[in-house]
Amino acid sequence: MNLKVIAFDADDTLFINEPYFEETEKAFCVLMEDYLSHSSLEKELYTTQIANLPQYGYGIKAYILSMIETSIKVSSGTVSIKHIEKILQLGKELLQKPIELIDGVEETLAALHGKYKLVVATKGDLKDQQRKLHDSGLGHYFHHIEVMADKEVINYEKLLKRLDINANEFMMIGNSLKSDVLPVLEVGGYACHIPFHTTWAYERIDHEVTHQRFKALTDIREVLNLFKV
């Protein structure tokens, strides 16, 4: 490898994220359980989220809107203002969750810093992602922060142009095979998958990935074994 840039996903790669969404979803299901069972509410919320992605994109604010829309749908428009207020409160609490670094993140970044150009390439709400990175204390390790509308081939191609590098000089590290690995391999870059113990259903794929430019790891510290650091 002749890498110049190593990119890291943020949520559930650098710091914990999905468990907070799962906690909020459970609270939403409890709030709306007079209308549907918890399992049916989970399905309705997920369906609404996916349908809203083209309009709202990813992130907590989009999630709040989807919860409100789901509450209106399952209640046939009879949901109370108190319920809407509670949903908004759940969203605000989600926005205020503390930042908890995943084990090994800071020592890995410290070892790579100065030897490679490090960037963050993530999805979500721009302001919220900037807040989380700031509060994490990791910002000084990164040359560039890219909050992407999505993580498809075209988005990575645009990122490579902004970084002024070739695809074979780029490696992406993240917890999603769908978003952090497959499109990067398609554009000609390198990718490492570090699974997190829970993954949003939308990010799961039903097949294994094998590729000469792909590495499956179990811990972010294993990244250092790929380089002379």
Side-chain angles (χ1 to χ4, degrees), residues 154-210:
I154 188 171
N155 306 100
Y156 282 106
E157 288 175 339
K158 290 178 180 178
L159 175 60
L160 292 173
K161 287 182 180 179
R162 277 192 280 276
L163 294 171
D164 193 26
I165 58 171
N166 297 318
N168 62 3
E169 298 170 322
F170 177 82
M171 174 178 279
M172 181 70 199
I173 297 170
N175 68 297
S176 171
L177 289 168
K178 180 179 180 180
S179 293
D180 301 318
V181 172
L182 295 180
V184 173
L185 296 177
E186 188 171 342
V187 300
Y190 292 85
C192 290
H193 179 235
I194 306 172
F196 191 62
H197 65 80
T198 183
T199 304
W200 185 31
Y202 185 72
E203 295 293 344
R204 300 170 193 160
I205 63 172
D206 58 4
H207 60 88
E208 293 184 3
V209 177
T210 56

Side-chain angles (χ1 to χ4, degrees), residues 28-77:
F28 172 77
C29 290
V30 170
L31 179 68
M32 300 299 298
E33 63 187 359
D34 288 344
Y35 298 97
L36 281 178
S37 68
H38 287 207
S39 61
S40 295
L41 284 165
E42 289 171 358
K43 291 176 183 177
E44 288 289 347
L45 178 56
Y46 178 74
T47 298
T48 302
Q49 283 182 272
I50 302 309
N52 284 338
L53 283 177
Q55 289 79 34
Y56 301 153
Y58 301 86
I60 295 175
K61 293 174 185 175
Y63 188 62
I64 295 169
L65 291 172
S66 290
M67 285 194 292
I68 292 172
E69 183 177 337
T70 301
S71 72
I72 294 170
K73 180 180 178 181
V74 303
S75 69
S76 300

Side-chain angles (χ1 to χ4, degrees), residues 142-154:
F142 296 104
H143 168 81
H144 178 76
I145 302 167
E146 185 85 4
V147 181
M148 307 161 83
D150 209 335
K151 283 184 170 179
E152 298 179 348
V153 169
I154 188 171

